[in-house]
Amino acid sequence: MDMLPLPAIDFSSPDEPALRPPARQRFAPRLVPATSGELVSIQDGRQLHLRSIRPSDIDALRRCFLRLSPEDVRRRFLHAMSELPTPMAQRLCQIAPVIETALVLVDETVVPGEIRGVGRLYVDEAADSAEFSVLVEKDWTRLGLGALLMRRLVDDCRRRGLAEIWGYVLLENRSMLDLCKALGFVRRRMENEPGVAQIVLRLT
Ligand SMILES: CC(C)(COP(=O)(O)OP(=O)(O)OC[C@H]1O[C@@H](n2cnc3c(N)ncnc32)[C@H](O)[C@@H]1OP(=O)(O)O)[C@@H](O)C(=O)NCCC(=O)NCCS
């Protein structure tokens, strides 16, 4: 069951300066509505489906984790993990839509379908903000999918009326810092966390 409607992407919206198109817009994935979420057409000809995560995605999420490099795991979770335990995978697939969003990019050209990317939000209602995380499998990077997921997460925060979206990013994670900078995020100082940046986009 899809928990949240996914609005159409609009790179040209004049009232959303933080979403101005990066230089790579010419390569931006194209999206059209499909029976299973939205069909994402990538510049190299491959296609994925963008939709909300489902409880039935547990096995696909665990397989996706096993394809990640230790470096990608550390960059996503900020610590090492050798596997995604089933209880954690269950928890990650069974979201509470009031305070969570989880979008997946699913490759349906293989059987069973494989998750190639995940974008996630945890809302802190008291702080009027949401923490994001994003992940794209190595073979699918540098095609605009990370940016696509981030834009959708920012859109979702705006839809929720939140004041801010933020996330922790390792300072060594140049690609993510570059990606977020292109989307208008700025760095917030973190005195007690050497090696980690908190990056923030104000929405109000
Ligand atoms: C960071 C990550 C999400 C980027 O995903 P992606 O699909 O490659 O992102 P995009 O294709 O939209 O790239 C956007 C921009 O990011 C930067 N970028 C992405 N990969 C890069 C790389 N390997 N080297 C340098 N810059 C890179 C570039 O500015 C890129 O634009 P460009 O391709 O025009 O140069 C992906 O590499 C990943 O999942 N990493 C592991 C998990 C992680 O780091 N998560 C972030 C913390 S939550």
Side-chain angles (χ1 to χ4, degrees), residues 24 72 75 134-136 141-144 146-147 173 175-176 179:
R24 70 188 342 267
D72 283 346
R75 289 181 168 187
V134 65
L135 174 72
V136 175
T141 56
R142 310 222 62 189
L143 295 166
N173 194 349
S175 57
M176 188 61 190
L179 188 164

Side-chain angles (χ1 to χ4, degrees), residues 4-10 16 31 33 38 50 103 148 151-159:
L4 292 168
L6 293 167
I9 208 162
D10 179 10
E16 291 187 356
L31 289 95
E38 286 171 273
L50 176 64
L103 305 175
L148 169 67
R151 285 171 190 280
R152 287 307 174 95
L153 296 179
V154 170
D155 287 350
D156 191 60
C157 285
R158 291 188 191 280
R159 184 185 62 78

Side-chain angles (χ1 to χ4, degrees), residues 9 11 21-31 40-46 140-148 151:
I9 208 162
F11 289 120
R24 70 188 342 267
Q25 180 182 338
R26 62 192 181 280
F27 301 134
R30 287 183 300 111
L31 289 95
V40 179
S41 296
I42 308 163
Q43 172 220 355
D44 66 5
R46 292 183 291 178
W140 296 78
T141 56
R142 310 222 62 189
L143 295 166
L145 296 173
L148 169 67
R151 285 171 190 280

Side-chain angles (χ1 to χ4, degrees), residues 95-147:
I95 63 166
V98 175
I99 53 163
E100 285 177 79
T101 296
L103 305 175
V104 284
L105 285 162
V106 184
D107 181 1
E108 294 188 358
T109 63
V110 290
V111 180
E114 297 291 358
I115 292 174
R116 305 302 188 191
V118 185
R120 198 171 279 279
L121 282 181
Y122 290 100
V123 176
D124 180 342
E125 289 173 324
D128 201 16
S129 68
E131 178 179 1
F132 73 82
S133 65
V134 65
L135 174 72
V136 175
E137 192 178 319
K138 196 81 182 167
D139 285 351
W140 296 78
T141 56
R142 310 222 62 189
L143 295 166
L145 296 173

